Amino acid sequence: MPRTPMSLLSPADQARLRGLRLMKAVALGALLVMAVIFVVAFALEDRYPWLGYVRAAAEGGMVGALADWFAVTALFRHPLGIPIPHTAIIPRRKDEIGRTLGEFVETNFLDSAVVREKLLSTRIAEKAGEWLRVSEHAESVAAEAATMATGVLRALSDDEVQDLISDLAREHLLDPEWGPTVGGWLDRVVTADAHRDAVDLGVDSIATWLHGNREAFSGLVSRRLPSWVPSVAMRLVDDTVYHEAITFIEAVQKDADHPARRAVDAYLRRLADNLQHDPATIGRLEEAKSAVFDSPRVRELATDAWNTAKSGLLRSLDDPESGLRRRLTEALIEIGSRLHADPALQRRVDDRITDAAVFLVGRYRHDIASIITDTVEKWDPAETTEKIELMVGRDLQYIRLNGTVVGALAGLAIYAIAHAVL
């Protein structure tokens, strides 16, 4: 009988224990009934010869009940505490049972063919799609994903992440020379005339500024003239300069092949070539880069980037109505709808899942099965016996009942045959 107090057992185990005790009482009661019948029949057999049949049946029932009691008890402990050989099988051979069970699971359940057949017949993708396309389910998955992501973000060390961002920025962004890369990019832009729109935007911006800032030319040139020059002449000079600037910029706007545009193109080509091949130009760019991104500033940028990204993500993850959560839910619904409606996609997903599972099972099935072996080895023998007896002990008591009935019938049959023949 399990020795663990009822209060320490789970509700399911408590129910099993009550059922086990009830069946043990029933089996014991059947044995006692047979014993009483045997005593009565044995005492009155001389007076009533027909009680010989009853005595034989009761005798056979007692023998069967005792034999099966011994067999059932021998599985879990020594009968009557006597260390009879080949008894207390489960506690004595616990580790071997665990290894055998692990080998059985590994051979029969973790076989690649079995896993592949089961997964393909399950139609995982179709069922997952059917479930996921329901908005409530998609929202639940999104909420769980947000909870997990929030937990991960809060668990991360800010200093370590900032150090990582700083190291990555320095290794992949700051340490490499920018000149050749920027020069190559600029050369491709100029060759493809992709810079034209930028030049047009610059020219238009200058023209807009000139038209709106006439007063900026007042005194621009005239203040440099001698004082004896008449004021009318000074204003005429300023107006001439302003109008020439307007005329020039309008000409640049209208003429796609204006000399100023060609000069800009030539300058950009020279700059692209110098950035790629001129050590002096490359050095000046590296100096400028170092001045902008010195070590303390890189650390500050990494800190600001991480803090901003983290706080923004946490707010979005915590808010069910945030754009991130809504887009995640919509994406899950769309995935579910496609999985539900597209048989070809279902087959591809099922094949990928099956291949991955078969690979993992084939590679790690011994390790998976060893969980059973290692767990059983760690169990205390008495505790193992209690666990197994609670699980199957109630059903084993039926063996005792069956032994009582079969023994009684066998005893009656033997006695009847012997009486008839002899």
Side-chain angles (χ1 to χ4, degrees):
M1 260 322 249
R3 295 172 298 176
T4 304
M6 284 283 287
S7 59
L8 299 181
L9 295 176
S10 66
D13 283 343
Q14 291 179 15
R16 295 188 184 101
L17 180 56
R18 287 191 293 268
L20 174 59
R21 287 173 174 173
L22 175 62
M23 288 307 302
K24 281 189 173 184
V26 171
L28 179 60
L31 173 60
L32 294 177
V33 168
M34 289 295 172
V36 171
I37 293 174
F38 173 78
V39 171
V40 173
F42 185 82
L44 301 177
E45 183 179 0
D46 292 337
R47 186 182 306 176
Y48 304 102
W50 59 270
L51 286 177
Y53 292 93
V54 177
R55 177 189 60 78
E59 187 175 9
M62 287 192 297
V63 172
L66 289 172
D68 287 339
W69 165 82
F70 182 91
V72 171
T73 304
L75 290 173
F76 304 104
R77 59 188 58 86
H78 297 299
L80 301 177
I82 303 173
I84 302 171
H86 305 294
T87 59
I89 295 173
I90 290 177
R92 186 166 51 84
R93 302 180 62 184
K94 170 183 68 71
D95 294 346
E96 184 179 348
I97 292 173
R99 286 192 297 271
T100 303
L101 182 59
E103 292 173 0
F104 177 79
V105 171
E106 179 179 355
T107 304
N108 296 278
F109 292 93
L110 299 180
D111 179 73
S112 298
V114 173
V115 173
R116 180 178 294 278
E117 180 182 358
K118 181 61 179 178
L119 290 178
L120 290 177
S121 64
T122 303
R123 299 164 63 188
I124 297 175
E126 180 182 1
K127 293 180 179 178
E130 183 177 0
W131 185 86
L132 196 57
R133 66 178 181 148
V134 179
S135 59
E136 291 80 3
H137 298 163
E139 289 173 0
S140 298
V141 174
E144 292 298 324
T147 301
M148 293 175 60
T150 299
V152 171
L153 285 174
R154 295 188 187 281
L156 291 175
S157 169
D158 290 344
D159 291 337
E160 292 179 358
V161 174
Q162 291 160 10
D163 290 339
L164 176 62
I165 295 175
S166 178
D167 293 342
L168 290 175
R170 183 166 300 283
E171 179 181 355
H172 298 286
L173 186 63
L174 302 181
D175 288 346
E177 285 188 341
W178 284 14
T181 302
V182 174
W185 171 82
L186 182 59
D187 183 60
R188 289 191 294 272
V189 169
V190 174
T191 302
D193 285 337
H195 67 295
R196 296 289 185 184
D197 291 339
V199 173
D200 290 341
L201 178 62
V203 172
D204 293 341
S205 299
I206 294 173
T208 301
W209 183 86
L210 287 174
H211 286 293
N213 292 272
R214 169 65 181 82
E215 65 279 2
F217 283 79
S218 298
L220 181 65
V221 177
S222 59
R223 72 168 61 97
R224 295 175 175 78
L225 296 177
S227 60
W228 49 263
V229 176
S231 59
V232 174
M234 291 184 178
R235 288 195 299 272
L236 180 62
V237 170
D238 290 337
D239 289 342
T240 300
V241 172
Y242 175 72
H243 288 301
E244 286 298 324
I246 292 289
T247 301
F248 175 78
I249 202 67
E250 289 178 347
V252 174
Q253 281 182 302
K254 295 175 181 178
D255 187 1
D257 194 37
H258 193 277
R261 290 181 179 270
R262 293 198 299 271
V264 170
D265 293 348
Y267 170 76
L268 291 176
R269 290 191 183 92
R270 288 196 305 275
L271 178 60
D273 183 71
N274 290 338
L275 285 172
Q276 296 179 81
H277 306 106
D278 181 31
T281 304
I282 295 173
R284 286 196 296 273
L285 179 60
E286 291 302 309
E287 290 174 0
K289 179 186 71 176
S290 299
V292 173
F293 299 105
D294 56 8
S295 295
R297 198 165 303 174
V298 171
R299 175 68 183 183
E300 292 174 4
L301 291 174
T303 301
D304 292 341
W306 169 245
N307 291 336
T308 302
K310 180 180 179 180
S311 60
L313 280 173
L314 288 175
R315 284 195 303 271
S316 297
L317 292 171
D318 289 338
D319 183 9
E321 300 301 323
S322 67
L324 177 62
R325 289 278 293 272
R326 287 200 305 271
R327 282 192 290 273
L328 177 58
T329 302
E330 292 169 358
L332 291 171
I333 294 174
E334 181 180 356
I335 292 172
S337 300
R338 289 188 59 193
L339 282 175
H340 179 73
D342 190 345
L345 180 60
Q346 293 171 12
R347 287 192 296 271
R348 289 198 298 272
V349 172
D350 285 340
D351 288 342
R352 298 295 185 275
I353 294 175
T354 301
D355 291 341
V358 169
F359 170 77
L360 291 174
V361 167
R363 188 177 183 88
Y364 300 106
R365 68 176 187 168
H366 180 73
D367 297 324
I368 297 172
S370 67
I371 295 175
I372 299 174
T373 303
D374 296 341
T375 301
V376 174
E377 287 180 352
K378 293 177 182 178
W379 284 352
D380 177 73
E383 180 184 0
T384 305
T385 302
E386 291 184 9
K387 290 179 181 292
I388 297 177
E389 187 173 11
L390 281 177
M391 294 299 297
V392 300
R394 180 175 181 273
D395 294 326
L396 291 178
Q397 301 310 309
Y398 284 102
I399 296 178
R400 294 175 58 186
L401 284 176
N402 293 336
T404 304
V405 175
V406 172
L409 294 176
L412 178 60
I414 293 171
Y415 180 81
I417 293 173
H419 188 74
V421 173
L422 302 178

